[in-house]
């Protein structure tokens, strides 16, 4: 009497059946894997871009935020009879403090409501309203880290001699009809004429000043008087790592008699600020990547389920020839997992190319963690495996007799 040997499905046979199933309808297999390609590609791209952007945030915080100190005039808050908090030689006093690149006092000038800024005196037409005039010493302008488009910045000589010169931004120059400095254009603030010394293309700090007219501090005091109480501030650009030391020493160096008249605002801790921003970016991008993977999993599950329904007769024949339910499940799980893994590999490559392309376009240094590259194909495989669970369960429950009757 012969014994019936139990049927079995080896790993090699399962892979061969999975490949045969995919090659039977290659167009469908490609479209099915496309969901995983997009999901894993988005996963790699968003994580890579998050790491890349984080490195750019690190650089920007280190260069700008971590090297900026603001000193505020709070003299009248401490003593109602106190005069201006900043002395006339404020910049010279700070030169004795180590770690300072440039520093200067600035404030928004108080103008009469009828005072306009334009190419002609007030009332002469071609004037613009809503333009602020900012008194800024040469050190304050330098601390803005400006980029000149044309002309030059005013210097200490212009400050000391109270010259009528201004520096404006490119946008404001176009608004006022100033296209070149070759003709030595003049700009009127009220009835006072000023020579436009320079046009700024950009500033790295306080970009709102691109829409203002920058006037030497001493000139502004001579024409419109000293700043209003608590309206003046000092902008200090420091060496990297010296900001907190400068913030501690600046009030004492400026007003050794009353350092309490000045309040130094040091930069925030770049590590805490950076970690907060990057964690928010990571959470958002991971959510988007997760949504993409869910969409890819739904696509694989839907297509695999359709394949199960189309191959009901084939499944019934296999069951009749001795295949068990777990063999049918393993066949479809292997097929969906293979599609997921292939989609994961292609998606990983596309995601890396996306990060590199964006970084090149933005002149960044691309950053992709090795763990992301290693985990992405595995993520595709797991996604395909999970997506195939329900279709494989449905295929295993098909009865041979019922399937063969269809």
């Amino acid at each position: 009497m012969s014994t019936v040997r139990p049927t079995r499905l080896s790993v090699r046979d399962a892979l061969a059946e999975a490949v045969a199933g995919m090659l039977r309808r290659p167009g469908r297999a490609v479209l099915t894997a496309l969901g995983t390609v997009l999901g894993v590609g988005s996963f790699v791209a968003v994580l890579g871009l998050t790491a890349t952007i984080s490195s750019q945030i690190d650089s920007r915080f280190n260069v700008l935020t971590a090297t900026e100190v603001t000193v505020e005039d709070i003299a009248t808050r401490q003593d109602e009879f106190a005069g201006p908090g900043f002395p006339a030689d404020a910049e010279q006093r700070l030169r004795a403090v180590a770690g300072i690149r440039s520093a200067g006092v600035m404030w928004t000038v108080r103008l009469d409501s009828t005072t306009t800024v334009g190419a002609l005196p007030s009332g002469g037409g071609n004037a613009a309203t809503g333009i602020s005039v900012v008194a800024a010493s040469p050190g304050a302008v330098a601390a803005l880290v400006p980029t000149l488009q044309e002309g030059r910045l005013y210097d200490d000589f212009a400050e000391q001699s109270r010259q009528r010169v201004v520096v404006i931004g490119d946008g404001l120059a176009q608004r006022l009809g100033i296209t070149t400095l070759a003709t030595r254009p003049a700009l009127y603030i009220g009835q006072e004429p000023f020579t436009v010394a320079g046009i700024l293309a950009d500033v790295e700090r306080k970009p709102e000043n691109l829409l203002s007219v920058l006037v030497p501090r001493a000139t502004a005091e001579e024409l419109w008087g000293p700043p209003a109480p608590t309206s003046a501030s000092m902008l200090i650009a420091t060496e990297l790592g010296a900001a907190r030391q400068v913030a501690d020493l600046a009030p004492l160096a400026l007003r050794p008699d009353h350092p309490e008249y000045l309040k130094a605002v040091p930069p925030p801790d770049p590590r805490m600020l950076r970690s907060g921003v990057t964690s928010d970016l990571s959470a958002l991008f991971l959510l988007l990547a997760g949504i993409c993977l869910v969409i890819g999993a739904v696509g694989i599950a839907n297509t695999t389920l359709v394949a199960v329904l189309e191959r009901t007769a084939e499944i019934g024949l296999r069951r009749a020839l001795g295949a068990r339910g777990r063999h049918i499940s393993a066949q479809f799980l292997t097929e969906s997992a293979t599609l997921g893994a292939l989609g994961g590999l292609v998606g990983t490559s596309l995601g890396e190319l996306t990060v590199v392309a964006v970084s090149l376009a933005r002149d960044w240094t691309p950053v992709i963690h090795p763990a992301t590259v290693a985990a992405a194909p595995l993520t595709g495989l797991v996604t395909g495996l999970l997506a195939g669970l329900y279709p494989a369960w449905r295929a295993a429950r098909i009865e041979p007799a019922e399937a063969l009757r269809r």
Side-chain angles (χ1 to χ4, degrees):
M1 183 176 179
S2 61
T3 59
V4 179
R5 298 179 60 186
T7 58
R8 65 185 182 86
L9 182 67
S10 64
V11 175
R12 179 179 179 182
D13 293 337
L15 289 174
E17 290 294 336
V19 172
M22 289 186 293
L23 294 179
R24 183 179 305 171
R25 293 180 180 271
R28 177 193 292 177
V30 171
L31 292 176
T32 302
L34 185 60
T36 309
V37 170
L38 295 177
V40 174
S42 301
F43 178 79
V44 174
V46 297
L47 289 182
L49 289 175
T50 300
T52 302
I53 293 172
S54 297
S55 67
Q56 300 304 313
I57 291 174
D58 291 350
S59 175
R60 188 168 182 83
F61 284 166
N62 288 338
V63 174
L64 292 179
T65 307
T67 58
E68 179 179 326
V69 174
T70 302
V71 183
E72 300 175 355
D73 178 5
I74 58 171
T76 55
R77 300 181 194 174
Q78 305 296 328
D79 183 356
E80 60 179 340
F81 300 106
F86 295 107
D89 60 343
E91 293 186 23
Q92 288 74 15
R93 295 191 181 193
L94 282 184
R95 288 173 184 170
V97 179
I100 295 180
R101 290 184 175 180
S102 55
V105 179
M106 58 194 310
W107 71 87
T108 301
V109 175
R110 295 174 295 174
L111 297 175
D112 186 82
S113 59
T114 60
T115 302
T116 59
V117 177
L120 295 174
S122 294
N126 193 25
T129 58
I131 298 177
S132 61
V133 176
V134 175
S137 62
V141 177
L144 296 176
V145 194
T147 300
L148 271 171
Q149 176 176 298
E150 190 176 355
R152 53 171 294 181
L153 304 176
Y154 52 77
D155 52 18
D156 291 335
F157 176 77
E159 168 86 5
Q160 294 167 5
S161 58
R162 296 174 173 80
Q163 293 186 5
R164 295 335 191 232
V165 293
V166 296
V167 173
I168 59 177
D170 175 49
L172 181 56
Q174 294 180 9
R175 181 179 173 185
L176 297 174
I178 300 174
T179 57
T180 179
L181 297 183
T183 57
R184 301 180 63 84
L187 182 149
Y188 283 84
I189 303 176
Q191 302 295 327
E192 292 290 336
F194 289 81
T195 300
V196 180
I199 298 177
L200 300 178
D202 195 11
V203 293
E204 295 188 19
R205 289 190 176 92
K206 301 186 180 301
E208 64 272 12
N209 287 289
L210 288 173
L211 300 177
S212 303
V213 178
L214 301 179
V215 181
R217 172 192 179 185
T219 305
E221 287 184 340
E222 182 180 59
L223 293 175
W224 301 293
T230 71
S231 65
S233 64
M234 172 168 268
L235 180 63
I236 304 175
T238 73
E239 300 288 346
L240 189 61
R244 293 194 171 272
Q245 173 186 338
V246 170
D248 293 337
L249 296 177
L252 188 60
L254 291 169
R255 291 296 302 268
D257 54 337
H258 289 289
E260 69 276 7
Y261 285 179
L262 301 173
K263 177 184 177 183
V265 181
D269 187 349
R271 291 173 296 179
M272 295 178 59
L273 190 58
R274 178 172 64 245
S275 62
V277 174
T278 54
S279 63
D280 291 342
L281 287 174
S282 299
L284 175 61
F285 287 154
L286 280 176
L287 177 62
L288 295 176
I291 293 174
C292 294
L293 287 176
V294 169
I295 294 173
V298 171
I300 292 178
N302 181 60
T303 307
T304 306
L305 184 59
V306 171
V308 169
L309 297 177
E310 289 181 349
R311 297 163 63 179
T312 300
E314 174 191 335
I315 295 170
L317 180 60
R318 289 177 180 274
R319 293 294 305 276
L321 293 176
R324 298 185 178 182
R326 65 173 181 270
H327 299 150
I328 302 299
S329 297
Q331 175 187 341
F332 283 97
L333 282 176
T334 303
E335 186 172 334
S336 63
T338 303
L339 283 173
L342 291 176
L345 288 172
V346 176
T348 301
S349 302
L350 292 178
E352 292 177 351
L353 289 175
T354 300
V355 174
V356 173
V358 172
S359 300
L360 289 176
R362 302 287 297 178
D363 197 22
W364 293 344
T365 301
V367 178
I368 303 177
H369 294 298
T372 301
V373 178
L378 294 178
T379 302
L381 187 148
V382 173
T383 300
L385 189 63
L386 294 176
L389 287 177
Y390 178 70
W393 177 77
R394 284 285 301 272
R397 287 173 57 86
I398 295 177
E399 295 294 335
E402 181 67 23
L404 293 174
R405 279 200 300 267
R406 296 184 180 181

